[in-house]
């Protein structure tokens, strides 16, 4: 899979790119590329934003700047693949969308800044407008990392243990419910013991208990 992130702050991804599961993905031949939106701006002095029509606070990322960046990389815009604009007003990101995006061979993530993108970016250059939650971040970079992280860990072979993304919270194996509780040693801690069933060695019972716990968590 190739993930391209368009951002005004590529340096934000330095740390993310060195994390183990991301390095694993790169080692398997996947790509994570950072594209500087300012590098291809058609405006003078590296300008990328402008004041909003109608007045108001803040600056808006220009549609022609985003178009130029996309065209420099892919040819005539919009790109011929899934292109996600990160914005607090978008569709709420969830595990189902992560699964969907992980099945794409190419994914573009576009990070807004300031007051966000000119609406024509969302309408005509992006295939999806995605929010990671109902709060406003200082830019789309952290949101893009959240999306990239959730997508990358779905790629086969990226996590150490092949099963670990199969039976985790919100997975199909758990009927979309949160994951069951986990315990490890010590068996007893401040009078709180590990549930007996987990020491029973009866794998069918353990599976059943875990599924029930997972369903119970969905209800609470
Ligand atoms: N940009 C700023 N806030 C955001 C959010 N909550 N989700 C996605 N992109 C954003």
């Amino acid at each position: 899979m190739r993930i391209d992130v368009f951002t005004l702050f590529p340096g934000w991804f330095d740390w993310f790119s060195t994390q183990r599961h991301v390095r694993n993905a790169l080692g398997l031949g996947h790509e994570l590329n950072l594209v500087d939106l300012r590098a291809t701006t058609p405006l003078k002095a590296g300008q990328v934003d402008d004041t909003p029509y109608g007045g108001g606070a803040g600056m808006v990322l220009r549609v022609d700047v985003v178009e130029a960046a996309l065209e420099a990389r892919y040819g005539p815009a919009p790109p011929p693949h899934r292109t996600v604009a990160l914005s607090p007003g978008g569709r709420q990101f969830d595990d189902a969308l992560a699964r969907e995006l992980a099945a794409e061979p190419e994914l573009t993530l576009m990070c807004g800044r300031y007051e966000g993108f000119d609406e024509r970016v969302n309408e005509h250059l992006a295939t999806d407008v995605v929010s990671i939650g109902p709060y406003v971040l200082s830019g789309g970079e952290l949101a893009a990392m959240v999306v990239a992280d959730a997508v990358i860990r779905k790629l086969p072979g990226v996590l150490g243990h092949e099963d670990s993304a199969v039976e985790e919270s919100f997975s199909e194996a758990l009927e979309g419910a949160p994951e069951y509780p986990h315990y490890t040693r010590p068996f007893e801690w401040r009078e709180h013991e590990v549930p007996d069933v987990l020491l029973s060695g009866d794998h069918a019972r353990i599976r059943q208990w875990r599924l029930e716990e997972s369903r119970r968590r969905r209800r609470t």
Side-chain angles (χ1 to χ4, degrees):
M1 177 177 203
R2 183 170 89 174
I3 302 178
D4 290 347
V5 183
F6 287 69
T7 170
L8 289 168
F9 299 95
W12 277 51
F13 293 82
D14 289 350
W15 166 83
F16 180 68
S17 304
T18 62
Q19 298 313 298
R20 195 168 66 178
H21 60 299
V22 180
R23 280 193 283 116
N24 284 349
L26 302 183
L28 288 167
H30 301 294
E31 286 181 37
L32 176 67
N33 304 304
L34 280 310
V35 183
D36 187 345
L37 274 169
R38 210 181 290 276
T40 48
T41 178
L43 308 174
K44 285 196 210 91
Q47 185 189 346
V48 290
D49 56 358
D50 227 317
T51 52
Y53 278 117
M59 300 291 274
V60 178
L61 266 173
R62 288 176 55 133
V63 62
D64 49 354
V65 168
V66 176
E67 178 186 42
L70 293 172
E71 291 200 334
R73 190 149 180 87
Y74 307 120
H81 57 259
R82 208 77 181 259
T83 301
V84 174
L86 280 316
S87 166
R91 160 186 176 188
Q92 170 91 48
F93 186 60
D94 60 14
D95 201 67
L97 183 53
R99 254 179 274 144
E100 207 179 297
L101 297 178
E104 300 283 341
E106 283 189 61
L107 173 64
T108 290
L109 301 175
M110 301 192 293
C111 308
R113 274 272 149 178
Y114 320 118
E115 290 306 301
F117 295 110
D118 183 300
E119 188 57 23
R120 292 166 290 186
V121 171
N122 300 334
E123 284 180 4
H124 304 294
L125 296 177
T127 54
D128 305 71
V129 183
V130 170
S131 165
I132 62 159
Y135 39 78
V136 181
L137 302 165
S138 51
E141 283 74 16
L142 287 172
M145 278 184 247
V146 166
V147 171
D149 187 86
V151 166
I152 287 170
R153 62 198 308 289
K154 303 273 183 216
L155 300 175
V158 162
L159 299 184
H161 186 256
E162 195 50 50
D163 281 342
S164 33
V166 173
E167 196 173 288
E168 66 178 4
S169 290
F170 319 116
S171 63
E172 281 169 351
L174 293 180
E175 303 164 349
E179 199 172 7
Y180 45 77
H182 299 276
Y183 296 89
T184 187
R185 281 175 275 277
F187 172 73
E188 186 182 333
W189 174 78
R190 299 187 198 278
E191 296 171 15
H192 303 292
E193 289 182 0
V194 174
D196 282 338
V197 58
L198 297 177
L199 288 90
S200 68
D202 182 340
H203 295 294
R205 253 185 78 212
I206 292 171
R207 273 206 71 71
Q208 191 54 36
W209 179 84
R210 285 178 165 168
L211 197 55
E212 279 162 17
E213 285 296 308
S214 175
R215 285 178 184 148
R216 201 168 56 78
R217 285 185 165 189
R218 175 166 39 203
R219 288 194 293 271
T220 53

